[in-house]
Amino acid sequence: MKYSINSPHGQRTFLGYGLGLRKEYYEAVLQQHPAVDWFEIISENYMVRGGKPLYYLDAVRERYPLVMHGVSLSIGGTDPLNFDYLRDLQALITRTQPCWVSDHLCWTGQGGHNLHDLMPLPYTDEAIQHVANRVKTVQEFLGQRILLENVSSYVSYQHSQMNEWEFYRAVVEEADCLMLLDINNIYVSSRNHDFNPLDYLNGIPVERVQQFHLAGHEDHIDYVIDTHDHPVVDPVWELYAAALARFGAVSTMIERDDRMPPFEELLAELQQARDIGASVLGQSATRNVANMP
Amino acid sequence: MRAAPPLTLAQMQQAFKRHLMQRDPAIVSHITSDDKLGAATRLAIYSHAYYARLEEALAQDYEAVHTLLGDEAFSELCVRYTNHHPSEFPSLRWFGQYMSEFLGTEEPYCRHPYIAELAHFEWTLVMAFDAADAAVASNEDLAKVAPEHWPQLTLTLHPSVHTLPFRWNILPLWRAATEDGNFPDIQPLPAEQHCLIWRHDLVTRFRTLSTEELTFLQGVVAGENFSQLCERLADASLASDQVPLMAASIMKTWINQGMVTQFGI
Ligand SMILES: [Fe+2]
C-alpha cells in the first residue's frame, strides 16, 4: 500500500518550528499572525459539531499548516479499535487537511472505559505484534502512515523483554509507521527508569523520525512528571541538540498545556529551538513544505 | 519478591485499570521496584493523575458547582462521580454529562436540589457552546415571505437552542459563582421558570423565557406553523386579541437574537 506522505526512505518533510494550538492563544494567533511555521492541534478537541473550536480551527488553518495529534487512539489497547473514533478522525482529517496525523505508543482504556491517560505498554513480542497489527489497520483505514509518539512513563513491567527504544523501533518497523519523538519524554523516562537518554536516541532509526516534541516537566528529584506546565529545561535542550545532530532537520514543536504563559514567552521559547536548530544544522535546514497541502 | 506469573497484555491492562479505579493490588507484583521508587509509589503517580485529570475536566464544565461546594467537597464529588460514571468516550468533552442526574440522586447532594439544577444549567451551556453551526435567518428573509403564506410559515431553530426548567434562583447563583461573588440567599422560586440557552455569534447566551415565549417555543419544537402557533397562544389565554402581533414580535426577537435559521412555507 502506498501512502500519501513521504516514504521513510525518501526525503523527510521539514515544516520548521511550531506550537500547540491552544484556546488561550486563538485570538493572539489570528490577530498577530506570529512567525510560527505551523501548529499542532489535539484532534479530540475538535471532534465537536460547531462553535468556537471549529471556527478557530478553520481560521487558523487558512493561515498556517497544521498537524493533528490524538490522545485516544489507544493503539496498544486490547479493546477492539474504536471505528466511531476513527470515522471522527477521518472527518477531521478531511476538514483540516493536516500535514500528518499522530498519536501515542500506549494504551488509554480498557473494558469500554477511557482512562484519559497515556498508559505504558510492556516491552514484549506480544505487544509488538499487537500494536503493529492495529497500526496497519488504522493506516489502511486512514489511507496514510501515522506517527507514533513515545510517552513518559513512571512504571516498568517485570515481564518486559527489551528496553523502550528497542520496543519502539520494533513496533514502527513492523507496522511501517513513522515516529514522533518527544525529547522531553525521553528525558523524563530516562530519569524515572535510570537509563542514558543518548542510548535511546542512538537506538532510533533516523529515517522513521518525522517530528519532535519539546515540553517542560515537574521535577521531584526522585522522579519526574511530564506536566507540560513549565518551560523546557536545559538538559532537554541539550538532548534536543543531540537529537538534531543525529536526525538532521526535524519539524519541532513545543507542547504547553497548563499554567499558560503570555504568548510572547512561548514565541521566545520557540526561538530558542530555532537558534539551537540553526547552530546544530547550519543554514542547510530550510523548510520544504512546497508540496504539502 | 516472588515473581508473579506473566499476564497477557489484556489481563495486564485490566489489572492496571482495576488498580486505578478500585485500588485492586493485583498489578503491583508485575511492576518493577528500584532503590529510588517502589512499585506502589510508581503506580500511585498514575492513580493520582487519573483522578486529577478527570476532576480538572469536571471543574471546567462545572465552575459554579465547584465554587458553590468549595475545593474539598468538589474533589470528593469528583472522585465519587468518577467511580460511578467512568469515562466511556474518547473525548473528555462528554465525561461530565451525568453530573446533574448524579447530584439529583446521591446523598448528600440530593438534599439540596438547587445543586443538581445548577449543574444542569452548566451542562446545557456546554451543549450550546459546541452545538452544530448553522447560518441564521434575517428579518429580510422573513420579509420575503408573502402575507398569504404567513399562516403556513414554520421556523427552524438554531441547533444550539436549549430550554431548561428551574425551580430555584440558580441564575443569580451562577453569576455569583462565576462572576461577581455576590451570593444571593438560595431560595425556591414562586413558580417554575424556564431558561433559554443558545449561542449567537459564537457566544453562549442565556435568559429567562416569558410564558408567551415558552408556549410559542413548545409549538415551534412540535413543528407547528404560524396559525397553529397563534392558536396555541390563544388557547393559553395569552393576549387574546393581539395574538398574531405578539407571535410576530416573538419571532422578530428570536431572529434578532440569532435563534432562527430557516423559514418554511
Ligand atoms: Fe509529546
Side-chain angles (χ1 to χ4, degrees):
Chain A
M1 167 147 204
K2 215 170 175 313
Y3 297 110
S4 60
I5 61 177
N6 60 311
S7 110
H9 310 294
Q11 199 203 4
R12 173 196 300 137
T13 300
F14 178 52
L15 297 177
Y17 298 84
L19 287 176
L21 182 65
R22 303 293 181 261
K23 62 180 189 299
E24 289 81 357
Y25 304 126
Y26 283 157
E27 279 301 328
V29 170
L30 293 186
Q31 285 169 21
Q32 301 166 19
H33 205 285
V36 175
D37 298 327
W38 53 282
F39 284 95
E40 181 185 85
I41 62 164
I42 303 294
S43 309
E44 287 77 4
N45 291 352
Y46 302 90
M47 292 180 176
V48 296
R49 298 189 187 100
K52 273 186 187 169
L54 295 182
Y55 168 82
Y56 284 107
L57 175 68
D58 292 346
V60 172
R61 178 64 186 98
E62 274 177 30
R63 296 159 175 83
Y64 294 93
L66 291 182
V67 307
M68 281 170 46
H69 184 51
V71 295
S72 304
L73 180 60
S74 201
I75 200 70
T78 46
D79 282 358
L81 277 170
N82 183 341
F83 280 89
D84 287 337
Y85 172 79
L86 286 174
R87 273 184 282 275
D88 287 348
L89 194 64
Q90 181 61 65
L92 193 63
I93 291 169
T94 303
R95 180 179 193 118
T96 309
Q97 297 292 307
C99 300
W100 56 75
V101 178
S102 62
D103 204 293
H104 300 83
L105 179 53
C106 69
W107 59 286
T108 61
Q110 193 277 332
H113 295 139
N114 203 311
L115 303 175
H116 300 286
D117 199 358
L118 308 171
M119 308 297 292
L121 287 160
Y123 308 136
T124 62
D125 293 328
E126 179 199 13
I128 292 168
Q129 277 314 315
H130 176 75
V131 176
N133 287 339
R134 284 162 69 99
V135 172
K136 287 178 195 165
T137 305
V138 170
Q139 294 189 146
E140 288 281 339
F141 185 90
L142 299 177
Q144 59 179 294
R145 273 198 192 86
I146 61 169
L147 283 60
L148 287 184
E149 176 183 353
N150 58 302
V151 298
S152 288
S153 65
Y154 314 100
V155 296
S156 52
Y157 300 95
Q158 299 214 351
H159 61 297
S160 281
Q161 299 161 325
M162 61 199 89
N163 63 40
E164 183 185 339
W165 52 97
E166 289 164 345
F167 175 75
Y168 190 13
R169 176 180 196 143
V171 167
V172 299
E173 289 183 342
E174 179 67 27
D176 189 17
C177 65
L178 299 171
M179 296 170 123
L180 193 181
L181 211 54
D182 188 313
I183 307 297
N184 177 61
N185 288 349
I186 294 176
Y187 175 79
V188 167
S189 292
S190 77
R191 290 273 308 275
N192 291 338
H193 305 298
D194 213 14
F195 60 75
N196 183 343
L198 294 175
D199 292 343
Y200 195 122
L201 290 186
N202 289 328
I204 298 299
V206 172
E207 72 280 4
R208 293 273 167 189
V209 177
Q210 180 81 346
Q211 186 188 332
F212 286 154
H213 272 171
L214 294 168
H217 55 249
E218 206 176 79
D219 198 325
H220 296 258
I221 313 298
D222 274 348
Y223 59 96
V224 179
I225 301 207
D226 177 37
T227 46
H228 299 181
D229 64 349
H230 286 78
V232 178
V233 298
D234 286 342
V236 172
W237 286 124
E238 284 161 25
L239 196 58
Y240 175 56
L244 290 170
R246 173 170 168 78
F247 299 106
V250 173
S251 309
T252 298
M253 64 82 70
I254 298 176
E255 296 182 288
R256 184 65 180 250
D257 295 300
D258 213 346
R259 294 168 33 138
M260 307 305 278
F263 193 49
E264 292 65 34
E265 276 181 35
L266 272 192
L267 292 175
E269 203 179 16
L270 191 61
Q271 186 58 42
Q272 209 172 334
R274 282 183 204 276
D275 293 345
I276 293 171
S279 81
V280 176
L281 305 166
Q283 295 308 308
S284 62
T286 49
R287 295 164 64 203
N288 57 343
V289 294
N291 57 347
M292 296 306 292
Chain B
M1 183 185 291
R2 219 159 12 111
L7 301 176
T8 64
L9 188 58
Q11 288 168 331
M12 187 280 295
Q13 293 178 352
Q14 187 178 47
F16 207 144
K17 182 187 85 170
R18 285 195 179 147
H19 184 78
L20 292 187
M21 292 183 173
Q22 295 147 27
R23 297 168 186 247
D24 182 333
I27 189 72
V28 179
S29 59
H30 299 273
I31 301 296
T32 308
S33 295
D34 61 21
D35 353 324
K36 273 196 317 189
L37 289 178
T41 312
R42 290 174 174 274
L43 285 164
I45 296 173
Y46 286 95
S47 327
H48 177 262
Y50 173 66
Y51 287 103
R53 184 169 292 106
L54 294 172
E55 177 175 337
E56 196 184 315
L58 293 174
Q60 271 188 24
D61 290 346
Y62 296 105
E63 189 187 344
V65 172
H66 182 186
T67 307
L68 189 69
L69 295 182
D71 288 342
E72 206 176 311
F74 187 74
S75 282
E76 190 195 321
L77 165 66
C78 290
V79 170
R80 287 182 58 187
Y81 178 83
T82 301
N83 290 339
H84 207 270
H85 290 290
S87 173
E88 294 180 337
F89 292 89
S91 170
L92 280 170
R93 161 69 179 76
W94 296 100
F95 175 57
Q97 63 183 311
Y98 307 110
M99 183 56 89
S100 170
E101 183 196 316
F102 185 77
L103 290 166
T105 51
E106 291 288 314
E107 292 280 353
Y109 318 108
C110 60
R111 276 185 259 154
H112 311 282
Y114 55 86
I115 307 177
E117 214 167 67
L118 186 63
H120 190 189
F121 175 71
E122 293 199 282
W123 183 252
T124 312
L125 293 176
V126 171
M127 293 302 292
F129 172 78
D130 59 12
D133 293 313
V136 296
S138 65
N139 285 302
E140 291 75 54
D141 296 327
L142 183 60
K144 286 180 203 146
V145 178
E148 66 269 25
H149 289 140
W150 269 67
Q152 288 83 49
L153 180 68
T154 57
L155 48 163
T156 307
L157 295 173
H158 193 271
S160 67
V161 172
H162 289 76
T163 59
L164 148 109
F166 60 106
R167 295 179 175 80
W168 297 78
N169 55 336
I170 56 162
L171 299 186
L173 188 58
W174 181 84
R175 273 193 206 94
T178 60
E179 288 164 12
D180 53 26
N182 290 322
F183 280 90
D185 288 336
I186 296 166
Q187 49 195 333
L189 301 169
E192 181 182 84
Q193 293 202 353
H194 283 76
C195 183
L196 174 74
I197 297 171
W198 81 110
R199 189 179 75 227
H200 187 201
D201 290 341
L202 297 176
V203 179
T204 309
R205 296 165 194 274
F206 66 88
R207 61 182 175 83
T208 46
L209 277 172
S210 66
T211 320
E212 296 82 4
E213 273 188 292
L214 177 65
T215 305
F216 197 79
L217 189 87
Q218 287 162 341
V220 169
V221 170
E224 293 176 3
N225 63 30
F226 191 75
S227 75
Q228 292 166 318
L229 290 166
C230 288
E231 265 173 55
R232 184 183 274 263
L233 284 177
D235 287 350
S237 314
L238 299 163
S240 45
D241 44 336
Q242 299 293 330
V243 157
L245 262 183
M246 166 175 285
S249 137
I250 291 175
M251 249 169 38
K252 281 184 181 159
T253 303
W254 290 7
I255 292 165
N256 292 334
Q257 295 186 341
M259 290 168 55
V260 181
T261 58
Q262 257 183 15
F263 301 107
I265 40 172

